[in-house]
Amino acid sequence: MIKGMAEKIGVGLLALSGTAQAAYQWNLPSPVTHVASEIYDLHLIMMGIIAVIFVGVFGVMFYSIYAHRRSVGHKAEHFHENTTVEVVWTVIPFFILIAMAWPATKTLLELKDTTSPDITIKATGYQWKWGYDYLRGEGEGISFLSNLTTPQDQINGSAPKGEHYLREVDNPLVVPVGKKIRILTTANDVIHSWMVPAFGVKQDAIPGFVRDTWFRAEKEGVFRGQCAELCGKDHGFMPIVVEVVSADKYAAWVGEQKKKMLAVAEDPNKKWSLAELKAKGEKIYAANCVACHQASGQGVKGAFPALDGSKLVNGPRGRHIEIVLNGKQGTAMAPFGKQLLDTDIAAVITYERNAWSNKTGDVIQPSEIKSARR
Amino acid sequence: MSAVIDTGHIHGGHEHHPSGIMRWITTTNHKDIGTLYLWFSFTMFLVGGVLALGIRAELFKPGLQLWHPEFFNQLTSMHGLIMVFGAIMPAFVGFANWQVPMMIGAPDMAFARLNNWSFWLLPVAATLLVASFFVPGGAVAAGWTIYAPLSTQMGPGMDLGIFALHIMGASSIMGSINIITTILNLRAPGMTLMKMPLFVWTWLITAYLLIAVMPVLAGAITMVLTDRHFGTSFFNAAGGGDPVMFQHIFWFFGHPEVYIMILPGFGIISQVIPAFARKPLFGYSSMVYATASIAILSFIVWAHHMFTVGMPVAGMLFFMYATVLIAVPTGVKVFNWLATMWRGSMTFETPMLFAVGFIFVFTMGGFTGLILAIAPVDIQLQDTYYVVAHFHYVLVAGSLFSLFAGFYFWVPKWTGRMYDEKLGKWHFWLSMIFFNVTFFPMHFLGLAGMPRRIPDYALQFADFNEIASIGAFGFGLSQILFLWIILKVTVLGQGEKAGQRPWEGADTLEWTHLPSPAPYHSFHEQPVVK
């Protein structure tokens, strides 16, 4: 009821303002879960109460400004206290406030109830991407990283921006409709926050700790959010995309992922060629390294070192592997050993050692990475 | 405060002080130090404002146009730190220095040399803070809240920031001790606590808040410092610490801090409204009790800044209910101001315009505060532009507008000249309109889910960001007008001469007992208040 009315008012407002475009969004996104619609209604009820108080309080104030001016000849009276009035306007707000908080209590209890989920997924915040591990339920064992796919030239303005600019990823989180999905959040480096407004979900991801939240999507579709806690340089560039699909589609997706995982699992024994590794490595580099070291390999002066012509990259391979695997303390260089597979690391190192003006000709096999892991 | 009888004579301008720069470096005079504080804070206000315009320029259009993301983060972080610690807080201390002794009939502050020292620490701290832009890695980029472990990752700019905060904290504590001692010991005979002007009351309570929480901040940032350099793990889970503990400690400081920035503003408004309504303040004692209640409640609501960290549900409920309760004493204040205006005989010179404007926009910030207090709704709005809108409504429209009101109200007493009324009114209307153009659209951005502290955003947020950026530049330029108004009435000495009591409704001691401008040394003999 309330929602319907609000939508009508919203449409009315849009129609009134001549310049209005579809892009103006005046309220919370349309809710897709029960909790989100509870929050939506709570917010509307609060706005209603506030609107009434607003009209009351400022009605009095502006009437007084209009009527009790010296320029209209109003003479000041000299009353300066009235115990009854003062008690009334202390006690009544108290009860209004309790009345506001009371319905919120119920929603809060529901929102915090993460028990008996159908599927449990761990979301890990990395600087600057999300990683997902399906821990329990259908799809158990699936695991992948989710990177921003918006190309750099759209961000720089040298290409037109796409429809889902900054809110598109290579691997979205896929979940079935109507199931209770519990999200465990944690982080690898600093605090991040996992937010999907349409679900009414926002949960900080804290390094070294596991926190949880949940949602049960009532509609199929693609829902977008992004990291909500400042986490450094590319805080604005780690979106969250959730695809809610039917049970059948979900089962098919799980099958596909399992196949992919098998393929990946076979990889370590395979001998890769330089060209294969370079091609794969370029993709890995684009997803994980360009943010700092740049596509040109030149880095950012004073902040992130260049890889093109770098002593480290052109030096002994052991040291290079170690840095990529374990990161560098006290800098933004993350330990990628925790995030990437042996093949990925082998590929990206091979790429770095043979890209730009670097011509070492080295081919690093996944097996070499495996043995280098501590 | 109308029950004041005159005693004794007023001293003329027997000014004994060195001239030139040494006057300002060595001064122990509360009026000189007040002036220093005000100029310092206005300078920092302009610096912080330039940073804000840097932010809004980048956000005018989607895409990265002007800054690297890491520099953008420095802009937002330093804007916050400079405005909070460099602009708003010192400005209120400046008002306290000028006004508290004159309003209680004291010759000066209790500890005159300490006063000098607490001011001169500030330029040192500000230099450290601003200089951090030029060290490798740049300035603080972890937000003004410097949450660990992000703040343990930064370069030496963070260390400079931490030292600057330590020094500013020391300055605040010394200033507070001075203000408390002055108020408790140097009141004119007959001025009981419950006869003190409300501005003095609000500062007394604020000073206690400062003494209580600045050491807490110092503790938190010292732990960050040792985590960074000495191998401790206070906030590092791998070493047995807890990143969330930083937030608990920070907000135990941070929430009282927001009241530190608004309570003296309440005090100023409580002086201005009765003066221009020509009617005594309604509900004086309930105003005092409301201020004290807000201060006490401020210690038990800190975790409402942290509803998304994953607290137990009982904790969330406690902090939600405690937080909504703050609306009770705050409401009492607003009602009392309205009742003071009611059936008065109002005129609307610039101080009154800013005071009424304050009530209007500050109350809107209060409303959004109420919405944010409701924990489930806060889950949607936490860390979005809604929060940015909310705290700018209470900090700009609240603290800053009250400072403007106070400046226009008291500048005749300070300089002996009236400010340019026409320009003052322009300043009010421009500030008021552009403020709302800037910050009102941010509510919608937050509702739609745009996170704070991002240098680039999805296309759905483009239109409101454009409006906000236009408003921000308008607001920024309006403050250049304010600079001109200040220069005219102070340095250039223009404007008609002000009488002892240019506002007929003003009845505190500085208006009833001291000429304009107030003599360099006032109240050698204390007046008697009946």
Side-chain angles (χ1 to χ4, degrees), chain A residues 21-29 36 39 42-43 46-47 50 53-54 57-58 60-71 73-82 85-86 89-91 93-94 97-98 100-105 107-109 111-112 127-128 152 154-157 161-167 189-191 193 195-209 211-212 226-237 300 302-304 330-332, chain B residues 62-65 68-70 73 76-77 136-137 141-143 145 147-150 153-154 237-238 241-244 247 277-286 307-313 316-317 320-321 324-328 331-332 334-336 338-339 341-349 356 359-361 363-364 367-368 370-371 374-384 386 444-461 463-464 467 504:
Chain A
Q21 300 161 20
Y24 285 105
Q25 188 188 325
W26 303 89
N27 202 347
L28 292 165
I39 294 174
L42 263 179
H43 175 250
M46 296 277 302
M47 286 306 288
I50 283 169
I53 300 174
F54 182 93
V57 169
F58 291 115
V60 169
M61 186 174 95
F62 284 110
Y63 174 76
S64 175
I65 288 174
Y66 166 76
H68 305 147
R69 277 175 297 156
R70 193 176 62 176
S71 55
H74 196 275
K75 294 263 181 297
E77 291 179 16
H78 280 276
F79 62 87
H80 56 84
E81 56 190 2
N82 182 328
V85 171
E86 289 174 58
W89 71 37
T90 310
V91 173
F94 179 83
L97 289 165
I98 298 298
M100 280 172 154
W102 185 250
T105 305
T107 308
L108 191 64
L109 292 177
L111 185 149
K112 295 292 285 184
Q127 284 173 317
W128 292 275
Q152 204 62 36
Q154 285 191 16
I155 296 173
N156 296 334
K161 296 179 180 22
E163 188 192 349
H164 298 299
Y165 177 68
L166 296 189
R167 291 206 155 180
D189 28 52
V190 299
I191 302 175
S193 191
M195 156 176 94
V196 181
F199 297 164
V201 165
K202 184 180 289 137
Q203 176 58 55
D204 291 359
I206 300 160
F209 291 83
R211 297 287 155 89
D212 64 352
Q226 64 188 95
C227 178
E229 179 66 57
L230 178 63
C231 55
K233 183 170 88 68
D234 282 342
H235 164 52
F237 304 92
V300 173
F304 309 109
T331 71
Chain B
L64 290 178
Q65 288 90 17
H68 287 296
E70 60 270 33
N73 288 344
T76 54
S77 310
T145 51
Y147 275 8
L150 185 59
Q153 256 188 6
M154 305 260 142
D242 182 349
V244 177
Q247 299 182 22
R278 293 165 182 79
K279 190 164 157 280
L281 183 70
F282 187 89
Y284 172 88
S285 40
S286 69
F307 278 147
T308 59
V309 295
M311 262 184 284
V313 70
M316 291 179 81
L317 285 174
M320 175 171 82
Y321 278 92
V324 294
L325 286 187
I326 291 185
V328 174
V332 167
V334 173
F335 298 144
N336 279 334
L338 295 190
M341 291 162 72
W342 189 254
R343 292 178 184 266
S345 176
M346 282 186 275
T347 52
F348 295 92
E349 291 87 346
V356 174
I359 296 179
F360 187 63
V361 262
T363 304
M364 293 211 265
F367 285 146
T368 53
L370 205 48
I371 298 225
I374 302 299
V377 181
D378 183 75
I379 295 282
Q380 285 285 38
L381 301 176
Q382 168 72 12
D383 273 318
T384 69
Y386 197 92
F444 303 119
L445 287 174
L447 286 167
M450 176 171 165
R452 336 166 35 179
R453 297 166 167 169
I454 54 172
D456 193 6
Y457 47 82
L459 300 181
Q460 69 184 101
F461 305 127
D463 302 301
F464 283 128
I467 298 172
E504 53 179 282

Side-chain angles (χ1 to χ4, degrees), chain B residues 65-113:
Chain B
Q65 288 90 17
L66 301 172
W67 321 120
H68 287 296
E70 60 270 33
F71 184 68
F72 181 88
N73 288 344
Q74 295 173 30
L75 288 179
T76 54
S77 310
M78 294 294 285
H79 165 70
L81 286 171
I82 286 177
M83 287 303 197
V84 168
F85 294 99
I88 300 289
M89 289 171 68
F92 280 124
V93 182
F95 274 83
N97 258 292
W98 261 103
Q99 288 307 126
V100 167
M102 293 203 292
M103 292 174 103
I104 62 173
D108 204 310
M109 297 291 279
F111 303 121
R113 284 197 179 81

Side-chain angles (χ1 to χ4, degrees), chain A residues 9 15 77 101 118 134 142 149 159 163 165 168 171 178 186 208 213 243 251 269 280 287 291 315-316 330 334 343:
Chain A
I9 295 169
E77 291 179 16
D118 299 308
Y134 288 61
I142 295 174
T149 51
E163 188 192 349
Y165 177 68
E168 47 197 353
N171 303 308
T186 186
T213 182
E243 259 185 66
N269 307 318
K280 187 177 173 63
T343 3

